[in-house]
């Protein structure tokens, strides 16, 4: 097939909502876009383990500790599924990790905020995983096969993440005045950074147009953000917590809430490395990588020694 | 910063069997330096929720796959042999199960 026929074939598959698979021809920019998006997603899962891992040893009960441990382990698994999907596009695991560890790659801005109290574990599960799920449910129908399949798996596993977070919040909100204040404080700090997770408004999002054209994304940042707000407000009301947004108001005509604008200047600062915890997060990843070096070396030495014995 | 590009091991494809008697189904891959480590990693990554009780792992480089361009000619022989399907045959009406 010549170049035009290959391109027509690709467009045709997209039009018919067929998945693009690793060995199929694809435009270079489609490949590049996917490598960037999937690897950022993978890095976010991996770095996302840090703010929560921080609380495992301080969980208030054995039940909460087991749950948090299982959740954090799941996030590590999500990182692996996504690295695998990115590797099918022709980039190595070594290169992907190098991009993260050298500070070249981005990951979700939300993980550069600190986790100051136990209630933050509730806010993260409820809001941050909730927002991630909204995005990931859409991505189950993304046009690149390996990415879509990773998302199906991830969505299945995510379902308990949000519930455990909401459970933490509702128990605190029904507790002593101090506990309720702790829950409200966590909501106050995580609300706006969570809304930023969906990315800038579509009008200002450089990558959105191609992503929609190639059916990598099926919905816009603003659509997903609106749906998240609509879904979350009643959940907050039910447990007696207040969303920290003076502009929040039900809009009968659009059957949804009107809400305030996140501080996009803060968002830009955080994704460009100036958030409260950027250095700490990357430092922790680098330390983990360096600390694991002897294990990788030992495993490689053991494998080659056994090969020699067998030969 | 130490070398951040040291080896992550080979890629191994993972197949899981949900229940005894069922076929092994491909579920993804893992990185590992040898077969034993690949099996352990596959267990940790792909069977955290009772997805199965039996696993196969093999180096990805050992997989031989058809290519998308083969779609036409390679599988063509199957297209014109409708007599391989039971619906090709006419039975007397009185026979309802065969
Ligand atoms: Fe996740
Ligand atoms: Fe999660």
């Amino acid at each position: 097939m010549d170049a035009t026929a290959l391109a027509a074939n690709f467009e045709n598959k997209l039009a018919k909502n067929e998945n693009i698979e690793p060995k199929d021809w694809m435009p270079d920019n489609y490949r590049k876009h996917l490598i960037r998006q999937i690897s950022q997603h993978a890095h976010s899962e991996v770095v996302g383990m840090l703010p929560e891992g921080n609380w495992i040893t301080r969980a208030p009960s054995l039940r909460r500790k087991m749950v948090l441990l299982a959740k954090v382990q799941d996030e590590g698994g999500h990182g692996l599924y996504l690295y695998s999907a990115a590797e099918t596009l022709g980039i190595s695991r070594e290169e992907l990790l190098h991009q993260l560890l050298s500070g070249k790659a981005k990951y979700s801005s939300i993980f550069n905020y600190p986790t100051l109290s136990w209630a933050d574990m509730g806010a993260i599960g409820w809001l941050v995983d909730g927002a991630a799920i909204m995005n990931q449910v859409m991505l189950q129908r993304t046009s690149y096969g390996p990415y879509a399949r990773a998302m199906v798996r991830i969505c299945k596993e995510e379902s308990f993440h949000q519930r455990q977070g909401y459970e933490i919040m509702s128990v605190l909100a029904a507790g002593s005045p101090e506990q309720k204040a702790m829950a409200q404080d966590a909501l106050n700090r995580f609300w706006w950074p969570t809304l930023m997770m969906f990315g800038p408004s579509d009008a200002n999002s450089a990558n959105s147009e191609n992503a929609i054209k190639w059916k990598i994304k099926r919905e816009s940042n603003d659509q997903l953000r609106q749906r998240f707000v609509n879904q979350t407000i009643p959940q907050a009301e039910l447990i007696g917590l207040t969303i920290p947004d003076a502009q929040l108001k039900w809009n009968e005509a659009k059957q949804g809430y009107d809400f305030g604008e996140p501080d996009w200047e803060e968002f830009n600062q955080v994704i460009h490395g100036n958030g409260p915890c950027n250095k700490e997060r990357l430092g922790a990843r680098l330390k983990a990588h360096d600390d694991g070096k002897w294990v990788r070396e030992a495993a490689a030495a053991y494998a080659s020694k056994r090969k020699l014995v067998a030969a | 910063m130490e070398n951040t590009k040291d080896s992550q091991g080979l890629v191994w494809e993972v197949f899981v069997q949900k229940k005894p008697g069922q076929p092994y189904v491909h579920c993804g891959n893992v990185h590992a330096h040898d077969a034993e480590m690949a099996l352990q990693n596959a267990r940790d990554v792909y069977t955290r929720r009772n997805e199965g009780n039996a696993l196969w792992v093999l180096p990805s480089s050992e997989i031989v796959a058809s290519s998308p361009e083969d779609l036409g000619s390679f599988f063509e022989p199957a297209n014109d042999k409708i007599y391989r399907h039971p619906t090709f045959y006419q039975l007397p009406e009185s026979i309802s199960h065969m």
Side-chain angles (χ1 to χ4, degrees):
Chain A
M1 267 194 265
D2 65 7
T4 7
L6 288 168
N9 200 24
F10 172 82
E11 293 295 337
N12 197 18
K13 276 198 171 168
L14 286 185
K16 286 194 289 185
N17 285 322
E18 282 177 19
N19 281 341
I20 308 299
E21 293 297 335
K23 288 174 126 192
D24 291 344
W25 183 90
M26 61 188 85
D28 277 349
N29 286 334
Y30 177 82
R31 186 184 299 275
K32 271 190 209 138
H33 185 110
L34 280 170
I35 289 178
R36 200 195 53 244
Q37 179 172 334
I38 300 173
S39 62
Q40 281 179 8
H41 197 159
H43 300 327
S44 302
E45 301 283 353
V46 170
V47 177
M49 291 191 279
L50 297 170
E52 293 183 296
N54 179 32
W55 277 91
I56 290 173
T57 55
R58 294 178 286 164
S61 69
L62 183 58
R63 179 179 185 272
R64 295 275 185 234
K65 186 174 184 166
M66 290 190 307
V67 168
L68 187 59
L69 200 56
K71 178 187 188 289
V72 171
Q73 192 190 14
D74 272 355
E75 306 300 6
H78 298 172
L80 289 174
Y81 308 153
L82 287 159
Y83 282 132
S84 284
E87 286 169 74
T88 63
L89 292 158
I91 185 165
S92 70
R93 177 77 58 92
E94 286 82 359
E95 177 61 30
L96 290 165
L97 288 179
H98 175 72
Q99 288 178 356
L100 173 66
L101 297 171
S102 63
K104 192 180 148 208
K106 287 186 187 139
Y107 53 83
S108 181
S109 56
I110 192 80
F111 301 118
N112 290 317
Y113 290 86
T115 42
L116 304 176
S117 77
W118 170 251
D120 290 9
M121 297 305 98
I124 288 182
W126 175 34
L127 302 173
V128 175
D129 286 75
I133 290 168
M134 201 119 284
N135 189 40
Q136 291 174 156
V137 165
M138 167 190 75
L139 288 171
Q140 290 182 106
R141 293 182 301 126
T142 192
S143 58
Y144 187 56
Y147 194 20
R149 291 190 284 275
M151 282 301 121
V152 170
R153 226 188 142 73
I154 286 177
C155 283
K156 247 184 234 160
E157 300 188 355
E158 285 290 347
S159 50
F160 98 78
H161 295 186
Q162 194 182 16
R163 284 186 184 204
Q164 64 87 33
Y166 189 62
E167 190 188 77
I168 291 173
M169 287 302 252
S170 49
V171 167
L172 287 174
S176 68
E178 290 83 0
Q179 287 171 325
K180 185 168 183 182
M182 195 197 270
Q184 182 64 52
D185 172 61
L187 171 57
N188 291 349
R189 283 181 291 109
F190 275 92
W191 177 252
W192 292 105
T194 301
L195 292 193
M196 293 176 201
M197 284 173 68
F198 295 98
S201 191
D202 303 300
N204 309 317
S205 173
N207 299 317
S208 269
E209 202 180 317
N210 277 336
I212 296 272
K213 183 181 84 184
W214 287 322
K215 299 192 175 176
I216 294 171
K217 283 175 62 172
R218 302 276 182 164
E219 285 171 288
S220 72
N221 296 350
D222 289 327
Q223 277 174 311
L224 292 170
R225 186 165 22 240
Q226 179 72 56
R227 185 174 315 138
F228 174 78
V229 170
N230 291 350
Q231 174 189 288
T232 310
I233 307 304
Q235 295 168 354
E237 283 169 355
L238 192 69
I239 56 175
L241 295 179
T242 311
I243 303 288
D245 180 355
Q247 284 167 266
L248 193 72
K249 209 174 129 219
W250 176 252
N251 179 331
E252 188 62 30
K254 76 171 183 188
Q255 286 293 301
Y257 288 89
D258 291 332
F259 54 96
E261 194 67 33
D263 179 353
W264 293 112
E265 180 46 35
E266 176 184 318
F267 175 77
N268 284 326
Q269 286 296 323
V270 178
I271 54 172
H272 289 110
N274 305 317
C277 298
N278 295 56
K279 289 195 181 67
E280 188 185 330
R281 298 295 182 237
L282 204 56
R285 271 315 311 153
L286 274 169
K287 183 174 184 304
H289 188 82
D290 289 348
D291 288 351
K293 188 171 182 260
W294 71 270
V295 180
R296 293 189 296 277
E297 283 174 356
Y302 180 64
S304 58
K305 196 173 149 194
R306 290 230 296 190
K307 230 177 248 162
L308 281 181
V309 172
Chain B
M1 181 167 55
E2 288 271 353
N3 174 20
T4 55
K5 264 187 164 177
D6 59 343
S7 173
Q8 298 289 316
L10 288 176
V11 184
W12 301 70
E13 297 302 322
V14 180
F15 299 77
V16 61
Q17 186 192 40
K18 207 169 176 182
K19 283 185 191 139
Q22 291 189 355
Y24 283 72
V25 178
H26 181 248
C27 63
N29 59 39
V30 291
H31 283 246
H33 288 279
D34 61 23
E36 198 182 334
M37 189 181 177
L39 260 185
Q40 286 167 352
N41 288 352
R43 176 203 58 199
D44 291 346
V45 176
Y46 293 107
T47 63
R48 289 199 302 284
R49 288 176 172 77
N50 303 318
E51 285 91 341
N53 291 308
L55 285 167
W56 288 347
V57 293
L58 76 154
S60 302
S61 56
E62 299 292 318
I63 298 233
V64 182
S66 64
S67 60
E69 300 88 71
D70 290 339
L71 205 63
S73 57
F74 193 70
F75 296 101
E76 202 275 330
N79 288 341
D80 58 355
K81 296 179 182 59
I82 46 170
Y83 46 83
R84 284 177 174 160
H85 299 277
T87 45
F88 180 75
Y89 302 90
Q90 291 190 346
L91 295 178
E93 265 178 30
S94 54
I95 299 185
S96 54
H97 293 291
M98 182 177 276

